[in-house]
């Protein structure tokens, strides 16, 4: 506990006097998922780091507990952070309390940190700054719940509400996040831009200089992370390239042979091997962008590219639509609704208008961040109790939850688990399933998906494959009740009785 604070007996509020003014000497700790092997995640935190550094803050980068040693460069070809910026990895939340001695302010970063299905107890602890003492300034910048509705289990809501109300200032990335904060937590939040927009573009250009990419002329840049509609997307890409007489540079996880375009007109890069410097270089120098990625969409707007942003996941679509509404530009669309005949007029972006709106939003978002960094710290005397024992209790609960998960995982690994249904439901919930079990196969009745490599390298196979599996345990990942009943009958006809629906399977995890 820091000793340099006073208590105002008349108001029963404590005030951290040493933080009434944020000076150049203060250390700011950025907390988040900044080492994740994802272009958007790593660039989001790089952008927030550079933005705060330009405000003359001494910044340190802090990851969640229990990750062990981090890769030095991640997806960057060269580590973009000075050595003294990266904090050591902490084993537990309690260990992270050490950071209170070196940081005057903690800034919770962007991306889906409050999506419980992705980070579980991390979302309830590190990503709500539970380790930060009450006399330390705590703010969130453009943090996201991931969904239009909250997915934190009801039994954790009261704890989440308490931790959220310990934050001095809260901002979120999507408009739906503002409503969640107000209705669920009683917190006044403001929507701000994703950090990638705040960062000076010159820093991205400095990264591109380090690219060793093969120079291309007149091409469409495509960034397509795994998508269940990959065949439709490839057809759209090839059609657009042919109509515009352009080459294709595509970063994705499908083979070159999946494209029917001539080899001399395409460059297909493995997203696991393409470095951030190269990714930025190819996007920046392209004539047009086609993407199914939210941050691919963001950087297209930053670099003023005509972009076709296509999403099969309605949650990602909502995220992109929120940004489009803010900039008053045409909204992205679901892949199934795309009409290639209209894209040359209906989907064009007027950047004279968009840049004016964007500049205004950047100024507003930066001002919000500056004001938050200077916000007054007030807290109740009772908050000192959390500082004393709160994280230790959280560690105990985390250990118990992890123990339960290990038991569940061991039980599942002894069964031949498969998932039936390679659609939107699996897109949304695979992360949660993967924390319990690693499926042998993904099964689907759509023969166009057979042979495709999906999540974690799992192959999609025909239902007939189940006949060759000893005692398969089938998780149905479909929402429509009629389809569920049809699949159950199909499985029963094959003699398979060990069946569970995906929602019921996930619920069992917390029991």
């Amino acid at each position: 506990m820091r000793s340099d604070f006073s208590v105002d007996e008349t108001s029963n509020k404590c005030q951290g006097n040493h933080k009434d003014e944020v000076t150049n000497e203060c250390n700011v700790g950025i907390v988040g998922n900044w080492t994740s092997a994802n272009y958007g995640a790593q660039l989001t935190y790089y952008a927030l780091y550079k933005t705060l550094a330009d405000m003359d803050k001494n910044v340190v980068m802090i990851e969640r507990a229990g990750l062990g040693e981090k890769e030095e460069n991640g997806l960057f070809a060269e580590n973009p952070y000075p050595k003294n910026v990266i904090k050591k990895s902490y084993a537990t939340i309690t260990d992270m309390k050490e950071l209170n001695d070196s940081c005057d302010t903690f800034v919770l970063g962007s991306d889906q940190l409050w999506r419980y299905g992705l980070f579980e107890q991390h979302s309830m602890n590190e990503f709500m700054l539970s380790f930060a003492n009450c006399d330390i300034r705590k703010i969130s910048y453009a943090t996201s719940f991931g969904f239009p509705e909250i997915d934190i289990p009801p039994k954790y809501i009261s704890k989440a509400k308490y931790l959220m109300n310990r934050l001095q200032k809260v901002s979120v990335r999507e408009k739906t996040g503002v409503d969640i904060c107000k209705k669920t937590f009683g917190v006044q939040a403001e929507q701000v831009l994703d950090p990638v927009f705040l960062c000076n573009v010159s820093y991205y250009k400095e990264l591109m200089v380090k690219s060793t990419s093969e120079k291309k002329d007149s091409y469409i840049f495509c960034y397509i992370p795994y998508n269940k509609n990959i065949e439709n997307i490839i057809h759209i890409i090839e059609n657009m390239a042919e109509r515009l007489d352009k080459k294709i540079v595509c970063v994705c996880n499908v083979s070159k042979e999946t494209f029917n375009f001539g080899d001399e007109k395409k460059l297909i890069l493995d997203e696991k091997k393409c470095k951030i410097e190269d990714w930025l270089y190819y996007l920046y120098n392209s004539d047009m962008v086609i993407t199914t990625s939210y941050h691919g969409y963001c950087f297209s707007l930053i670099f003023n590219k005509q972009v076709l942003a296509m999403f099969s996941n309605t949650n990602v679509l909502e995220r992109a639509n929120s940004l489009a509404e803010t900039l008053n530009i045409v909204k992205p669309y679901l892949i199934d609704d795309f009409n290639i005949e209209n894209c040359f007029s209906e989907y064009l972006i007027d950047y004279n208008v968009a840049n004016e709106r964007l500049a205004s939003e950047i100024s507003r978002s930066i001002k919000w961040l500056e004001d938050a960094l200077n916000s007054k710290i007030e807290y109740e005397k009772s908050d000192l109790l959390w500082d004393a024992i709160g994280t230790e209790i959280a560690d105990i609960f985390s250990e118990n939850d992890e123990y339960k998960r290990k038991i569940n995982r061991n039980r599942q690994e002894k069964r031949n688990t498969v998932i039936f249904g390679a659609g939107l439901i699996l897109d949304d919930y695979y992360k949660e399933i993967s924390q319990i079990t690693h499926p042998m196969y993904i099964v689907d009745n759509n023969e166009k998906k057979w042979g495709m490599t999906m999540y974690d390298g799992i192959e999609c196979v025909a239902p007939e494959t189940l006949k060759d599996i000893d005692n398969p345990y089938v998780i149905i990942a479909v929402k429509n009740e009629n389809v569920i009943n049809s699949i159950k009958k199909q499985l029963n006809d094959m003699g398979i009785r060990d069946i569970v629906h995906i929602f019921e399977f996930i619920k069992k995890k917390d029991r």
Side-chain angles (χ1 to χ4, degrees), residues 239-279:
N239 199 327
M240 289 295 293
E242 186 173 356
R243 287 174 180 239
L244 297 174
D245 192 24
K246 305 288 184 184
K247 295 180 181 179
I248 296 171
V249 174
C250 186
V251 177
C252 58
N253 64 351
V254 300
S255 67
K256 297 180 180 181
E257 290 71 30
T258 307
F259 285 79
N260 295 315
F261 230 45
D263 286 341
E264 73 284 355
K265 292 186 177 182
K266 68 184 179 186
L267 175 63
I268 313 301
L269 303 169
D270 186 341
E271 65 175 324
K272 295 180 181 178
K273 298 178 181 178
C274 180
K275 296 300 182 182
I276 284 175
E277 292 85 345
D278 300 328
W279 187 87

Side-chain angles (χ1 to χ4, degrees), residues 371-434:
D371 290 346
L373 290 168
N374 285 284
S375 59
K376 191 174 183 178
I377 303 172
E378 292 187 343
Y379 53 91
E380 303 288 344
K381 289 181 181 179
S382 59
D383 290 327
L384 298 173
L385 181 62
W386 177 272
D387 291 352
I389 63 173
T391 54
E392 285 86 347
I393 294 173
D395 273 331
I396 291 171
F397 279 112
S398 294
E399 288 171 5
N400 285 341
D401 283 351
E402 179 59 27
Y403 178 69
K404 291 175 185 176
R405 282 195 294 273
K406 285 180 179 178
I407 291 175
N408 285 336
R409 194 177 297 116
N410 289 336
R411 286 173 178 169
Q412 294 301 329
E413 285 174 354
K414 294 176 182 178
R415 309 167 81 172
N416 294 320
T417 305
V418 297
I419 299 173
F420 202 124
L424 289 175
I425 297 298
L426 189 56
D427 282 348
D428 289 341
Y429 291 99
Y430 177 76
K431 180 72 175 182
E432 293 184 65
I433 289 177
S434 67

Side-chain angles (χ1 to χ4, degrees), residues 359-371:
S360 175
E361 287 298 310
I362 290 173
S363 296
R364 182 183 65 82
S365 298
I366 288 178
K367 185 178 187 308
W368 185 93
L369 182 56
E370 289 174 336
D371 290 346

Side-chain angles (χ1 to χ4, degrees), residues 225-243:
Y226 167 73
N227 193 289
K228 71 184 187 67
N229 290 313
I230 189 64
E231 290 191 353
N232 287 344
I233 295 167
I234 289 175
H235 176 72
I236 291 169
I237 292 171
E238 292 176 337
N239 199 327
M240 289 295 293
E242 186 173 356
R243 287 174 180 239

Side-chain angles (χ1 to χ4, degrees), residues 45-224:
Y45 286 93
Y46 171 78
L48 185 56
Y49 163 74
K50 297 299 284 187
T51 300
L52 289 170
D54 281 350
M55 293 179 180
D56 293 327
K57 307 302 178 190
N58 295 322
V59 186
V60 292
M61 305 297 293
I62 304 163
E63 252 287 6
R64 60 193 186 276
L67 284 190
E69 294 301 317
K70 298 181 283 287
E71 284 191 43
E72 186 168 333
N73 297 345
L75 288 175
F76 289 95
E78 298 180 17
N79 186 0
Y81 302 103
K83 289 287 186 183
N84 62 338
V85 163
I86 300 175
K87 297 296 289 185
K88 68 181 182 181
S89 179
Y90 291 90
T92 68
I93 315 162
T94 301
D95 293 337
M96 292 178 74
K97 288 177 70 65
E98 174 187 301
L99 293 162
N100 288 285
D101 296 328
S102 58
C103 292
D104 296 292
T105 300
F106 291 111
V107 178
L108 188 65
S110 188
D111 230 342
Q112 302 177 64
L113 301 187
W114 289 337
R115 180 179 169 185
Y116 187 84
L118 279 180
F119 297 108
E120 291 192 315
Q121 283 297 327
H122 296 292
S123 291
M124 298 298 305
N125 292 309
E126 298 96 309
F127 295 160
M128 286 192 178
L129 302 180
S130 68
F131 62 88
N133 287 343
C134 57
D135 64 331
I136 301 288
R137 182 176 288 100
K138 299 173 283 293
I139 65 177
S140 70
Y141 184 80
T143 313
S144 174
F145 292 95
F147 292 118
E149 297 179 356
I150 194 168
D151 70 337
I152 295 176
K155 64 181 179 179
Y156 295 133
I157 291 295
S158 59
K159 175 187 173 183
K161 185 174 182 178
Y162 171 72
L163 292 175
M164 287 280 280
N165 278 273
R166 279 171 65 98
L167 306 182
Q168 274 67 51
K169 294 290 181 180
V170 176
S171 65
V172 291
R173 191 173 62 184
E174 291 89 27
K175 290 180 180 178
T176 53
V178 175
D179 294 333
I180 290 174
C181 286
K182 183 178 181 179
K183 294 176 181 178
T184 305
F185 304 112
V187 169
Q188 188 66 39
E190 184 166 342
Q191 183 195 17
V192 292
L193 286 176
D194 189 292
V196 296
F197 291 101
L198 274 54
C199 180
N200 193 305
V201 175
S202 64
Y203 293 125
Y204 299 136
K205 292 182 178 179
E206 288 176 7
L207 290 173
M208 292 180 221
V209 170
K210 301 173 184 177
S211 171
T212 57
S213 301
E214 175 185 345
K215 189 172 182 180
K216 292 285 182 180
D217 295 322
S218 191
Y219 63 88
I220 297 173
F221 177 75
C222 309
Y223 175 44
I224 315 295

